[in-house]
Amino acid sequence: MLNVRRLLLLTEATERGSLTAAAEALGMTTSAASQQMSLLEQEAGQPLIERLPRGIRPTPAGAALAERGQAIRRELRAAQADLDSFTALDEGTLRLGSFPTASASLLPLALTRFRRRHAGIRIEVRAGVLAELREMLHTGEVEQGLLWDYEWNRLDDPALTLTHLLDDPTVLVVPADSPLRTHPSVRLGDLADQEWIIRADNHPVADVLRRSCRQAGFEPRIAYSSHDYQEAQAMVAAGLGIALAPRLALTSRRSDVRLLPFASDVPAPTRRILLARAAARPATPPAQAMARVLRTVAQRFTAPDLHRAQLGAVRRG
């Protein structure tokens, strides 16, 4: 049977392209790492790496074995996380994963409520994009994670247990003096001649805009690519264009923009906000308590009066 520690050494060396860097990451000397790699090759019965003037390169067999090592490393980390998670509600650490929109709206209120009730629990929050958050959940780096999905990219991961917290509709962001502000609701097909502010770097909301506009029969004309929602609001307020955004992303709305709802028959998607945990690991008492708090807080962000407040002054002149 292959030695697991040596297999993890091969995995690190393959990822880093260097046996020296892998040895440092695993707390070994370079000479010890070289000896262990030679022993692993003897166990495998064939060469696993090619030693280059600068670094190493895996052989085909080494690359296949390193891929197996990644899965083993993930399970070992998850096992350690399981051991670390057995704690009472008066002490210990709860590790959460979140994405920027949730971290700026839903999560702060939940953290405040949780700490009032469970002051002895230390909370760590890791931020990331969707793929990163899922990986953190799989490896046990976080015990719970706030995730999102749309109709076309539903999370279908049997390794995760998902709790639906709330629906987050898409709204239209326009300047405060826009003629559109007097409309009770907007049809996307009537906005084909508008300039648009889009999210940069292949952001999911950029995909929402393009999908929605194409479904309405036109290609959006992009005037500006923003890197966050405050920047997008500023460009809208300046009259450079209009924008689509999830309502939850605009809890801190500028006074010089308005948020308009879409007509019910408009193809403006709603995303789901989800709480996820690894299905194979039972929720710890702190995680169960946080889930209860998040479900309660989520109701505040779905209340009709909050919806009206966020849309704000739609009919004002």
Side-chain angles (χ1 to χ4, degrees):
M1 181 179 294
L2 297 175
N3 181 282
V4 173
R5 183 167 175 78
R6 293 169 190 156
L7 181 57
L8 295 179
L9 172 63
L10 172 64
T11 302
E12 291 285 344
T14 299
E15 292 176 345
R16 298 170 186 272
S18 166
L19 196 56
T20 300
E24 183 177 346
L26 296 175
M28 306 169 63
T29 65
T30 302
S31 60
S34 181
Q35 292 173 2
Q36 292 298 310
M37 186 60 66
S38 296
L39 290 173
L40 181 63
E41 289 180 320
Q42 291 177 25
E43 292 173 347
Q46 58 186 302
L48 299 174
I49 61 171
E50 298 176 24
R51 289 170 170 79
L52 306 174
R54 298 184 65 178
I56 63 98
R57 178 173 57 207
T59 65
L65 205 55
E67 186 174 348
R68 296 285 188 181
Q70 290 175 342
I72 292 171
R73 184 179 59 191
R74 172 190 284 184
E75 289 302 314
L76 288 173
R77 288 176 176 173
Q80 184 61 53
D82 284 347
L83 292 176
D84 294 341
S85 68
F86 288 101
T87 180
L89 269 172
D90 57 350
E91 62 181 8
T93 299
L94 175 61
R95 298 178 302 277
L96 297 172
S98 184
F99 59 98
T101 300
S103 297
S105 56
L106 183 68
L107 188 57
L109 182 56
L111 292 175
T112 300
R113 291 191 177 190
F114 184 90
R115 281 185 166 143
R116 287 198 199 115
R117 301 171 187 175
H118 312 294
I121 300 295
R122 181 173 179 268
I123 299 177
E124 298 177 358
V125 180
R126 303 277 190 272
V129 298
L130 189 59
E132 294 170 340
L133 293 169
R134 292 176 68 177
E135 180 66 13
M136 291 179 199
L137 286 162
H138 289 151
T139 62
E141 183 178 348
V142 298
E143 187 175 353
Q144 290 176 312
L146 288 165
L147 309 180
W148 56 265
D149 69 8
Y150 284 101
E151 182 181 1
W152 60 84
N153 70 337
R154 290 294 187 221
L155 285 174
D156 184 16
D157 189 340
L160 297 179
T161 296
L162 302 176
T163 299
H164 179 208
L165 293 178
L166 71 150
D167 289 327
D168 188 18
T170 298
V171 296
L172 182 68
V173 188
V174 302
D177 60 354
S178 169
L180 292 170
R181 74 192 187 282
T182 59
H183 296 202
S185 61
V186 180
R187 297 185 58 83
L188 195 57
D190 296 335
L191 304 176
D193 60 344
Q194 296 282 337
E195 299 284 342
W196 291 87
I197 311 298
I198 199 171
R199 287 299 302 270
D201 302 326
N202 297 315
H203 191 278
V205 173
D207 188 31
V208 169
L209 174 63
R210 291 194 170 96
R211 284 175 178 269
S212 299
C213 291
R214 287 167 186 165
Q215 191 172 350
F218 68 94
E219 191 71 26
R221 297 185 312 193
I222 308 304
Y224 187 81
S225 297
S226 69
H227 293 275
D228 59 54
Y229 289 110
Q230 284 300 112
E231 183 185 9
Q233 288 187 68
M235 294 299 102
V236 170
L240 195 60
I242 59 177
L244 293 186
R247 191 181 69 195
L248 200 62
L250 300 168
T251 51
S252 297
R253 178 177 61 83
R254 291 173 59 107
S255 61
D256 48 6
V257 301
R258 296 289 179 266
L259 311 183
L260 307 183
F262 283 100
S264 59
D265 60 341
V266 169
T270 293
R271 68 176 180 176
R272 299 189 307 172
I273 307 300
L274 308 163
L275 180 64
R277 65 173 179 84
R281 296 192 289 276
T284 61
Q288 293 174 16
M290 177 57 80
R292 289 192 294 269
V293 171
L294 282 167
R295 287 194 295 268
T296 300
V297 168
Q299 294 175 6
R300 293 191 55 177
F301 289 86
T302 58
D305 56 339
L306 175 67
H307 178 60
R308 288 192 294 269
Q310 284 184 311
L311 292 174
V314 170
R315 296 182 176 85
R316 290 183 201 165

